[in-house]
Amino acid sequence: MSLAPLFLDAGYRPGIVMASLLIATLASYVTLDLSLRVRSASGPLQTIWWAAGSLVMGTGIWSMHFVGMLAFVLPIQLGFTGLMTLLSWVAAVAASGIALHAASRADYSARAVCSGAIAMGIGICAMHYIGMAAIDLSPGIVWNGWTVAASAAIAVGASAAALVIFRLLIQVRADRRIYLQLLASVVMGAAIGGMHYTGMAAAQFPQGAVCLSAGGLGGSGLTAIVVAATCMLLVGALFASILEARLQVVARQLSQSLQESNAQLKTANEELQHRAFTDVLTGLPNRLFFETRLANSLQRLEHVNQAAVQQQIAVLFVDLDGFKPINDSLGHAAGDQVLQTAAKRLLEQSGAGNTVARIGGDEFLVLLEGLADTDDCVAVVDRILAALASPFEAMGTALQIACSIGVVMHPAHGRRRDMLIADADAAMYAAKRAGGARHVLFEPRMTADTTDALQLQTDLRKALERGQFELYYQPKIDGRKSRLSGMEALIRWNHPILGTVSPAKFIALAERSGLIVPLGEWVIREACRQMAAWSREGSHLRVAVNLSAMQLAHAGLVKSIEAALRTHGLPGDRLICEITESVALEDLEVTQRTFHELQRLDVHLSIDDFGTGYSSLSQLRELPVRQLKVDRSFIMDLESRPDARAVVDAVIKLAHALSLTVVAEGVETTGQRDILLRMGCDELQGFFYARPMPAGDVLGWVADEPVAVPRASVFATIG
Ligand code: C2E
Ligand code: MG
Ligand code: MG
């Protein structure tokens, strides 16, 4: 006689089991997708993604569980109580919330993964066993403790695997991610299914048991709920994948535009390099190039003279006499023609191996090398004087001009090597004062100016304690919105005798004496004080200050900025620090360190005088910079020179590709403004809008101008 079995025979419908595994895989895929989204979002968006993610993932796992239950075949009819079913769904959503939270944190240490996995595992088990408790069976289900434990272990293990997979996923490039994500979804789906079916294997249904909840959810009711939930999940998956596809398109476009911009980057870099060393009008080298040449030549000279062959070099400062009236009466085109011819003649007369540069307006420098003595030099100088004295042809007119030449020889004039250009300049002035059309050899008495500089330096030391400095402010205008976007603070020195002294005169002096550090700190404090004062009057202006090289390298800079912001209760992003391009790239490591510290304060960083530092744009990528200020020299040429337009256009495009905003400096005309606006330049600054003005005039200017001023509510939207 055989004993009746204690438990009911259970079986599975294989088709529905497959469907439940498919749902688990799908749920995993969507979940991974949403976790990525939660990770990359910030602020309220992150919370929204998290909530949506928890809902979809929870519903997915829960729906897998109930489809799994549909696949389960018992000889008696099963049903589920509504309340417990609902509770199991809540548990699934809660577990998913925990999971998403754990995945979106940056912490993937073993400890964090373990605690995340345990929390998730408990959540999944809670969902499953609450779901089982929704079956009101009499007598109750008999559980096999070991198998229950195994199912819990699978839940925790699967969760840990999911977290680790997720970590791998975020390290993979976006375009390769899909395969890993698919694989991960299959692993996770199998793990969730494994947990469910192990959990089911732990349940034994006694012979003769009656399901008291058979009239509750079950059969077609349950199918409807599960189908609805699965549909929701599918829609979620579809939505996420459409979004993903869209993002990929954007990413592809971005990478394409970056590739294009790399090509542009190269041309623009070459153009910038070229421009950095070349005077566009005459094609001659510029001052920067000349200085490099001079430094090399001095080095060579030292070698040669050590070998006891006494050689000299000469620097000639050539300034045209009577050029300005030509420019004024016949126009710039005629002036340009004269300059081009003068450049050609200078080149012809200077002879091979020597250097001719144009350093601005009608000023040229000539470097003569390998001279035996002064006579040797004067012979060339006389040839130049004669060549420039012969008539010029411009706009069909013959024009007569002349030139004054200052000459300094080295080592004959025995002066400091780094002052050669300044000395030649002083000699040129002496030639001008003597009536022009001649050359003058340098003599030390000509540099009374240098003594002035010493006096200025002494005055400068006292100026800070005597409160002789003042900040002027120049508006920056948002190109698209014609709205004031901020101010640049520019320092002025109210000298008791000399009147207002421009920074161009004294900043270099202050740098040389180290005074720039306390002076710079004063500028930062004063700018913050002024911003706070304007805020109190309802104008929330953003102010940019200029930092010098020495400040950048000074250890106290970040602290003093932090203190000034704190004292005046200002958020970091109200302050912009401008650093001249050449300074920023001088010591990239120092700049990087300081910039990153300033970024931590949320202070915005801007590269000033961009285009003058012959930097490569790619170097700028390494700095957390927000803004480029295109140098005035480019803006000046916008209307007359296609090459300047091409460079500015390329710089704007590249800057935008690197997510930087572009400010044009020195906008003086409507024409320049229009060209810049067409190119999509973000901000404009220059005399066209306003000259730098004392702080006291700013609010009056704002009231009189048709530009809107950011009030508190608007300010928040300025990026
Ligand atoms: P920057 O930072 O490039 O400032 C722009 C300069 O261009 C200012 O000269 C401004 O007055 C002038 N500018 C603005 N719009 C136009 C225009 O349309 N046409 C012309 N021709 N010029 C225009 P500023 O005030 O003489 O300053 C010269 C430089 O001195 C500044 O160049 C900056 O590098 C430096 N500087 C000014 N204030 C400070 C400061 O507080 N600290 C430091 N370290 N440097 C400063
Ligand atoms: Mg500036
Ligand atoms: Mg500038």
Side-chain angles (χ1 to χ4, degrees), residues 118-139:
I118 291 173
M120 260 168 83
I122 292 177
I124 294 173
C125 288
M127 183 278 300
H128 179 83
Y129 291 104
I130 295 174
M132 292 304 287
I135 304 172
D136 189 1
L137 202 71
S138 174

Side-chain angles (χ1 to χ4, degrees), residues 488 578 608-609 629 631 665:
E488 175 172 7
E578 294 187 4
D608 207 350
D609 305 336
K629 297 188 78 177
D631 190 61
E665 297 187 299

Side-chain angles (χ1 to χ4, degrees), residues 474 488 491-492 503 523 546 608-609 632 665-666 668 686-687 692:
Q474 189 180 30
E488 175 172 7
I491 196 165
R492 297 291 178 266
V523 170
N546 293 281
D608 207 350
D609 305 336
R632 194 160 63 83
E665 297 187 299
E668 291 184 350
F687 294 171

